[in-house]
Amino acid sequence: MSSTELPGIAAATAVPRASAVRIAEGEELRSVTLPGLTLTVRSRPPARQGLPPALFVHGLGGSSQNWSGLMPLIDDEVDGEALDLPGFGDSPPPDDGNYSVNGHTRAVIRHLDASGRGPVHLFGNSLGGAVSTRVAALRPDLVRTLTLVSPALPELRVQRSAVPTALLAVPGIARLFLRLTKEWTPEMRTRGMLGLCYGEPSRVSEEGLRNAVDEMERRLELPYFWDAMTRSARGIVNAYTLGGQHGLWRQAQRVLAPTLLVYGGRDLLVSYRMAQRAAAEFRGSRLLTLPDAGHVAMMEYPGMVARAFRELLEDYDSSGS
C-alpha cells in the first residue's frame, strides 16, 4: 500500500512550489494540463523511434521517481512515461479533491485519452497496481500488457505490518501521528519508510538514501502532503470493501491483457500469500516471486523485473496481439 515516501493537507487556492524535484540523467519532466487536473509526467527518450508506448503508475506515497531504475533497462523495448498521480510527486492536488481509486483511475484514463498514446504497456505498483487493474478492466482498448508489482488488491487478513498504513484512512489519525512524530527529522522518516518498503533496506546506497531524504524534505514543504496521503489511503480501504462488478478482484477477472505479476517475499504491506490468488484471478498471467524483495521490487531488483517483462513481451509479440 505504500511506496517510498509519504504525502499531503489540501490548499484550496494556488499551490505553492516546493524545491525542485530530482531528475535522473536522461530523464525529462513536463506538465500536462487537463480540465480540473494537472499531471507531471517523467519520460526518457527511447533507444529508437517507433517503439510501443508504456506508462508507469506509482503507489501510495510514491512518485514517478519510483520507476527511474526500471525505465532505462527496457527503453530499447518501450517508449516509457511515468506520471505523478494527483497530489503526489510534482503533481498538484486535483481540483475536486478526489483521491479515491476511481479518481486516480480517471486521471490515468484521461491522460491516455488526451495524449493518444494508448494502447500502452501499463505498469502499476501498490495503489498504482489497483488503479492499473481498474484501467485494464474498464478500458481494455488502452492496455497492451499489464505489469503489477505488489498490487494493492483486497486481502481478508491484512498483515499486522500493514495496519499502521491502513489506519491513516481513519479521520484524525494523521494529525495524531504528526503530533507524535513532530521531532522526527526527514532522515528518520525516510529510514522508517525504507524499512517498511524494502525487503533489505541495506541495499539502498548512500546516494540513494540522500536522494530519498532530499525528496522527503521537498514533500514536507507541501501544504497538502498529509491530505493526499490520508485521502488516498481511505480510497484504498473503500475500494477493498466494494463488491459486485466494482470489486477489484472481479475486475481482475475481466482483464484481457497479458499480465505479469510481481510479488516480494518480504513485503510488509501486500502479503506474499496473495500471489497465488492473483495468479488465479488474472487469466493466463505470469508470476514472478522474489523471496528477498519487499514492496517495491522494481526499485530493489529492477533487472529481474525487466527480464520478466521482456519475457512477457516475447509472448505478446509472438501471439500477434
Side-chain angles (χ1 to χ4, degrees):
M1 285 163 125
S2 179
S3 248
T4 26
E5 292 94 14
L6 302 160
I9 276 182
T13 55
V15 176
R17 298 289 294 180
S19 54
V21 70
R22 180 175 175 272
I23 306 174
E25 184 178 354
E27 293 182 342
E28 301 173 354
L29 288 183
R30 75 177 191 279
S31 183
V32 175
T33 301
L34 302 167
L37 189 68
T38 300
L39 299 174
T40 297
V41 178
R42 181 182 303 264
S43 62
R44 55 184 308 115
R48 61 182 184 278
Q49 295 301 310
L51 292 176
L55 183 68
F56 302 81
V57 187
H58 64 80
L60 180 63
S63 76
S64 57
Q65 292 185 57
N66 292 24
W67 301 100
S68 291
L70 178 63
M71 289 173 67
L73 300 183
I74 55 175
D75 66 0
D76 60 331
E77 297 281 6
V78 298
D79 181 357
E81 289 186 345
L83 59 77
D84 290 330
L85 290 171
F88 293 87
D90 210 35
S91 293
D95 287 359
D96 62 4
N98 187 344
Y99 289 104
S100 67
V101 172
N102 279 342
H104 288 310
T105 298
R106 282 196 294 271
V108 172
I109 289 175
R110 288 175 62 192
H111 170 63
L112 288 173
D113 280 340
S115 68
R117 281 172 56 85
V120 298
H121 294 287
L122 185 60
F123 292 72
N125 168 234
S126 191
L127 165 63
V131 168
S132 297
T133 296
R134 190 154 284 177
V135 171
L138 297 177
R139 291 291 303 274
D141 59 304
L142 293 178
V143 182
R144 297 173 188 248
T145 67
L146 182 63
T147 297
L148 303 176
V149 181
S150 296
L153 300 175
E155 300 182 39
L156 291 178
R157 292 186 296 113
V158 177
Q159 297 183 100
R160 287 185 181 179
S161 52
V163 169
T165 302
L167 284 175
L168 285 174
V170 178
I173 290 295
R175 292 186 184 280
L176 174 61
F177 179 75
L178 279 172
R179 287 202 300 271
L180 294 175
T181 64
K182 63 181 179 180
E183 303 300 327
W184 289 16
T185 65
E187 180 171 344
M188 291 169 66
R189 295 182 188 276
T190 301
R191 287 186 181 277
M193 189 55 64
L194 293 176
L196 188 62
C197 293
Y198 276 69
E200 298 180 73
S202 61
R203 290 178 59 88
V204 180
S205 67
E206 284 299 318
E207 180 183 6
L209 176 61
R210 287 196 303 273
N211 291 337
V213 172
D214 289 345
E215 175 63 8
M216 178 63 75
E217 290 179 335
R218 188 192 74 82
R219 295 190 191 186
L220 288 170
E221 298 173 13
L222 300 171
Y224 53 85
F225 181 83
W226 284 105
D227 191 59
M229 185 67 168
T230 56
R231 288 174 184 260
S232 292
R234 197 170 302 147
I236 295 175
V237 172
N238 290 342
Y240 275 27
T241 64
L242 286 177
Q245 63 178 343
H246 301 295
L248 284 167
W249 285 117
R250 181 70 64 86
Q251 292 186 325
Q253 295 169 357
R254 292 168 51 189
V255 171
L256 301 177
T259 300
L260 169 64
L261 302 164
V262 183
Y263 281 81
R266 297 185 180 181
D267 194 333
L268 299 179
L269 295 165
V270 169
S271 176
Y272 189 58
R273 67 176 180 268
M274 299 307 295
Q276 293 303 322
R277 178 174 182 182
E281 301 288 2
F282 288 90
R283 66 182 77 181
S285 58
R286 307 170 66 99
L287 175 61
L288 171 65
T289 56
L290 299 171
D292 293 327
H295 192 58
V296 287
M298 74 287 187
M299 301 174 71
E300 299 173 86
Y301 297 95
M304 292 185 180
V305 176
R307 188 177 310 118
F309 173 70
R310 289 178 184 276
E311 293 172 357
L312 175 73
L313 205 56
E314 288 177 7
D315 285 352
Y316 173 83
D317 291 339
S318 64
S319 71
S321 301

